[in-house]
Amino acid sequence: MKLERTPVGVQVLAPAGPVLIRHVIGIGKNYADHAKEQGAAVPERPVLFTKNPLSASLTGDDIVIPPICQDREQVDFEAELAFLIAPPTPGVPIRDVPIERAFEFVLGYCCANDVSARWWQKEGSGGQFNRGKSFDTFCPIGPELIPARDVPDPQNLRVRCEVNGVEMQNASTREMIFPVARLVHELTRGTTLLPGTLVLTGTPSGVGMARTPPVWLKAGDRVTVAIETLGSITNTVRLGKA
C-alpha cells in the first residue's frame, strides 16, 4: 500500500480507500537491552508517548533539524517496526480489543525512524517525551505499508539501522518485551483509537545517546532503517533555517 503526502499529512492508499495517519503513538523501552543501555529497569507495562502526526515524512525526505535544536548536539536515530491500526469493518470502534483479535485491527506494517531531540525529550520539557519527538520530519516511515496478511509473524523480523553506512542497531522483533498483539490490546483498554493510528513499537539498543562517545546526527548524515520483509527507508539530515 503506497504512502503519500497530502496537505494535511501522510496517508495510506489502502484497498478500501485512503487512510490518513491521524495519531502517532510511540512505545518506550520495549527492548530489554535498550532499557539497560539507558540505565532503566525493564517496564512492567508499555511505556507510551505520542508524536505529532504531522512529524510523519517519507523515505527520501530530509530529516530537518530545526533551529530550536541546533544550540546543542542532541538529535538521535531510532529504528523501529511500525504498524497502522484500522478497524476490520468501517465503523467498528477500536476499543477494548482482546489479544486474540488484535491482528484483525492491524492494517499493515512499515519501517520507521523515531527521530528524537534528546534535550527537548528530557530536560527541555520536564521529562515529557512529546516535544522532543514531534518536530517536523522527525518520523520518517515507509517505503510503503505492507499488508498485515503478508507479514505472518511480526515478531520474527530483523530491524537494522545504519548511519553513513555504519551499522548502529541490529536486533530481532522477537526481543520486544510487549509484542504487537499485546500492544493493540493494551492501547485500546478503555480508550477508543482513531482509524489511522500509527504505532511505533520501540527501538533496540545502539541508539546514539547511549554510545561512548555519543553519536548525534549532523548535517549531511544519511540514516537507513531496514526491516526484513518490509524494505528500507533512507533520509538525509540537514539543518533548518529560521
Side-chain angles (χ1 to χ4, degrees):
M1 289 176 279
K2 183 180 178 182
L3 297 166
E4 70 172 14
R5 189 182 299 99
T6 77
V8 291
V10 172
Q11 70 178 3
V12 180
L13 298 181
V19 179
L20 182 69
I21 294 176
R22 304 167 71 187
H23 188 195
V24 180
I25 299 174
I27 307 300
K29 303 172 187 174
N30 200 22
Y31 288 76
D33 285 349
H34 179 52
K36 182 179 179 181
E37 72 181 356
Q38 298 181 78
V42 173
E44 296 181 3
R45 57 188 61 86
V47 177
L48 311 184
F49 60 89
T50 62
K51 291 173 76 82
N52 180 359
L54 292 179
S55 67
S57 58
L58 304 177
T59 184
D61 291 345
D62 288 345
I63 295 170
V64 182
I65 301 177
I68 194 173
C69 297
Q70 293 175 21
D71 59 342
R72 51 177 56 82
E73 293 183 311
Q74 60 169 303
V75 178
D76 207 346
F77 50 86
E78 293 192 15
E80 308 203 10
L81 169 69
F83 64 88
L84 193 72
I85 287 179
T89 303
V92 172
I94 308 171
R95 185 180 189 274
D96 293 322
V97 177
I99 289 181
E100 60 269 20
R101 293 191 59 205
F103 291 116
E104 297 176 30
F105 292 81
V106 177
L107 182 63
Y109 302 90
C110 65
C111 305
N113 187 350
D114 178 22
V115 181
S116 306
R118 297 301 188 187
W119 188 84
W120 281 106
Q121 177 187 349
K122 300 174 182 294
E123 294 90 339
S125 298
Q128 297 294 324
F129 285 12
N130 178 271
R131 186 72 185 278
K133 301 275 190 175
S134 288
F135 294 110
D136 292 350
T137 75
F138 272 31
C139 188
I141 59 174
E144 58 183 331
L145 192 75
I146 303 300
R149 64 176 180 273
D150 296 336
V151 185
D153 185 2
Q155 304 310 142
N156 188 30
L157 302 174
R158 179 64 50 179
V159 179
R160 298 177 59 252
C161 179
E162 292 184 354
V163 178
N164 299 325
V166 178
E167 185 174 273
M168 296 290 177
Q169 296 179 282
N170 189 333
S172 171
T173 55
R174 65 175 170 268
E175 299 171 40
M176 287 166 53
I177 299 166
F178 306 103
V180 169
R182 173 77 182 277
L183 291 176
V184 174
H185 170 66
E186 293 289 349
L187 292 173
T188 60
R189 292 178 66 188
T191 302
T192 300
L193 296 184
L194 293 169
T197 295
L198 184 72
V199 180
L200 277 56
T201 60
T203 197
S205 62
V207 297
M209 71 173 182
R211 293 176 172 269
T212 305
V215 176
W216 303 117
L217 295 179
K218 60 185 184 302
D221 283 349
R222 285 175 58 82
V223 187
T224 296
V225 172
I227 300 181
E228 186 179 2
T229 302
L230 308 184
S232 65
I233 58 175
T234 298
N235 302 86
T236 300
V237 180
R238 70 174 171 89
L239 300 182
K241 297 180 180 179

